[in-house]
């Protein structure tokens, strides 16, 4: 009986750690990663090496990085239910936050000031996107076909957006097999 | 309803690199299929920026909420997150039989993601260049340079830029 109680308590504390991090870090997934890292490593729940290993897996999957990372970390800490509790902790604050803030903005959307403010935020988002692009491109290890593939992808998608998935998968596979030096599974 | 869930399932399966890759895609699909106006998109984008959480998740939640209320919000968020859940689960099950060279694979994903983020940038920002909106272009460049050179939290740029717009634009 005490065993069950302490197990439930551990799950709740995992839930609470992720809930707190997710609720307090504004600015998307990339801002959350250092917060998760410090929290879990300081509490000695996981080693630095394990953390970065899971982070690289989280990055290579589709989906928000912080969400993917919470599933992997939760599972590492307490198995299946750990993953469930950690990922719920991550998803609950943004879920309610967006509904509240968006309804506040919409209730005042006739105001000239709110509209100008929104235009300013939109411009900042464009600046932020160019920064994200810069960071990603800075970290690529370039080879001969990267740049041509990049331009090929851009031109293709500007002409036809409905092929996004196809173009993305082709670029990843072509580059992967080029770097690996052929297909030899 | 099914159409919108299918759209988020699709978006979820290619949202590599933290969501920015698919913001442009969400914008184009939602506006071209008349689910959102451009003004509404701007509202959601701003709300997503000043609330916690990954941007693609914020957008899915909000669009679901707008059309089908609370249940809709749960469903669109769930469908966006379903592909990563399935892929992580199958990765964990098949871990031993997958033989990917991790560093090449991550590098290739980064290249693919760079293309998608560029498209997001094009989709969000091309209008400034087409309309020759000098003030906006200067603001974008200033924010980009400050983000590269300093370690100030992006939230300050977003809110600051909003106030600058009230005063100047």
């Amino acid at each position: 009986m005490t065993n069950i109680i302490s197990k439930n308590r551990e799950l709740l504390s995992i839930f609470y750690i992720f809930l707190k991090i997710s609720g307090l870090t504004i600015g998307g997934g990339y801002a959350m990663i250092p917060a998760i890292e410090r929290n879990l490593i300081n509490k000695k729940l996981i080693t630095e090496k394990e953390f970065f290993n899971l982070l690289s897996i989280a990055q290579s999957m589709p989906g928000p990085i912080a969400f993917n990372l919470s599933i992997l970390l939760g599972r590492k800490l307490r198995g299946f239910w750990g993953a469930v509790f950690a990922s719920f902790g991550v998803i609950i604050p943004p879920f309610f936050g967006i509904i509240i803030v968006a309804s506040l903005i919409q209730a005042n959307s006739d105001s000239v000031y709110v509209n100008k403010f929104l235009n300013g935020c939109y411009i900042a988002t464009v600046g932020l996107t160019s920064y994200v692009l810069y960071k990603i491109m800075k970290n690529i290890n370039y080879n001969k076909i990267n740049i041509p593939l990049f331009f090929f992808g851009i031109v293709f998608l500007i002409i036809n957006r409905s092929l996004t998935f196809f173009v993305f998968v082709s670029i990843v596979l072509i580059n992967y097999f080029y770097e690996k030096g052929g297909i030899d599974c | 309803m099914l159409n919108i869930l299918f759209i988020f399932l699709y978006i979820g399966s290619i949202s590599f690199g933290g969501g920015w890759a698919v913001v442009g895609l969400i914008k184009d699909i939602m506006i071209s299929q008349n689910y959102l106006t451009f003004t509404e998109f701007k509202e959601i984008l701003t709300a997503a920026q000043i609330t916690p959480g990954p941007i693609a998740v914020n957008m899915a939640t909000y669009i679901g909420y707008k059309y089908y209320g609370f249940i809709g919000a749960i469903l669109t968020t769930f469908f966006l997150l379903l592909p990563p859940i399935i892929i992580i689960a199958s990765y964990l099950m098949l871990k031993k039989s997958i033989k990917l060279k991790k560093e090449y694979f991550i590098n290739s994903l980064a290249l693919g993601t760079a293309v998608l983020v560029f498209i997001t940038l094009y989709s969000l920002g091309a209008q400034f260049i087409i309309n020759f909106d000098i003030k906006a272009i200067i603001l974008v460049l200033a924010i980009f340079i400050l983000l590269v050179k300093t370690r100030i939290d992006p939230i300050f740029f977003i809110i600051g830029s909003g106030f600058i717009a009230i005063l100047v634009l």
Side-chain angles (χ1 to χ4, degrees), chain B residues 2-31:
Chain B
L2 274 179
N3 183 34
I4 216 163
L5 292 182
F6 181 74
I7 291 171
F8 280 107
L9 199 63
Y10 170 63
I11 290 171
S13 62
I14 52 170
S15 63
F16 287 90
W20 278 106
V22 289
V23 172
L25 192 64
I26 295 177
K27 171 176 178 253
D28 294 345
I29 294 178
M30 289 299 153
I31 292 179

Side-chain angles (χ1 to χ4, degrees), chain B residues 57-69:
Chain B
V57 177
N58 291 157
M59 292 192 151
T61 307
Y62 182 73
I63 293 167
Y65 184 73
K66 185 188 168 210
Y67 283 96
Y68 303 101

Side-chain angles (χ1 to χ4, degrees), chain A residues 131-147:
Chain A
Y131 176 66
V132 172
L133 181 64
Y134 164 79
K135 287 272 268 194
I136 293 174
M137 297 198 67
K138 215 178 91 180
N139 288 322
I140 293 176
N141 297 319
Y142 285 96
N143 61 36
K144 278 182 207 151
I145 64 163
N146 281 162
I147 305 288

Side-chain angles (χ1 to χ4, degrees), chain B residues 137-169:
Chain B
I137 294 171
I138 291 174
L139 201 51
V140 168
L141 289 177
I143 289 169
F144 174 73
I145 291 166
L146 284 170
L147 281 168
V148 174
K149 297 282 178 201
T150 67
R151 302 198 61 177
I152 304 171
D153 197 311
I155 187 85
F156 292 112
F157 292 113
I158 290 154
I159 294 173
S161 172
F163 284 113
I164 290 175
I166 292 180
L167 297 172
V168 184
L169 298 186

Side-chain angles (χ1 to χ4, degrees), chain B:
Chain B
M1 181 80 177
L2 274 179
N3 183 34
I4 216 163
L5 292 182
F6 181 74
I7 291 171
F8 280 107
L9 199 63
Y10 170 63
I11 290 171
S13 62
I14 52 170
S15 63
F16 287 90
W20 278 106
V22 289
V23 172
L25 192 64
I26 295 177
K27 171 176 178 253
D28 294 345
I29 294 178
M30 289 299 153
I31 292 179
S32 71
Q33 301 200 11
N34 293 321
Y35 283 112
L36 295 175
T37 63
F38 182 53
T39 314
E40 282 173 320
F41 175 78
K42 274 196 282 189
E43 287 170 8
I44 300 175
L45 191 65
T46 307
Q49 293 284 296
I50 54 182
T51 50
I55 187 153
V57 177
N58 291 157
M59 292 192 151
T61 307
Y62 182 73
I63 293 167
Y65 184 73
K66 185 188 168 210
Y67 283 96
Y68 303 101
F70 191 70
I71 302 290
I74 293 176
L75 284 175
T76 48
T77 312
F78 177 71
F79 270 74
L80 181 78
L81 296 174
L82 197 57
I85 293 172
I86 293 171
I87 289 171
I88 292 176
S90 38
Y91 166 79
L92 291 171
M93 280 186 271
L94 300 171
K95 200 155 65 176
K96 291 186 184 87
S97 53
I98 294 177
K99 283 181 285 180
L100 280 175
K101 288 255 192 281
K102 224 192 228 164
E103 68 271 25
Y104 298 152
F105 189 58
I106 287 179
N107 206 39
S108 307
L109 280 175
L111 182 69
T113 309
V115 171
L116 297 188
V117 175
F118 185 92
I119 294 296
T120 294
L121 185 61
Y122 171 81
S123 164
L124 297 179
Q127 49 163 323
F128 297 143
I129 294 173
I130 294 165
N131 300 334
F132 209 63
D133 190 343
I134 293 289
K135 283 178 190 166
I137 294 171
I138 291 174
L139 201 51
V140 168
L141 289 177
I143 289 169
F144 174 73
I145 291 166
L146 284 170
L147 281 168
V148 174
K149 297 282 178 201
T150 67
R151 302 198 61 177
I152 304 171
D153 197 311
I155 187 85
F156 292 112
F157 292 113
I158 290 154
I159 294 173
S161 172
F163 284 113
I164 290 175
I166 292 180
L167 297 172
V168 184
L169 298 186

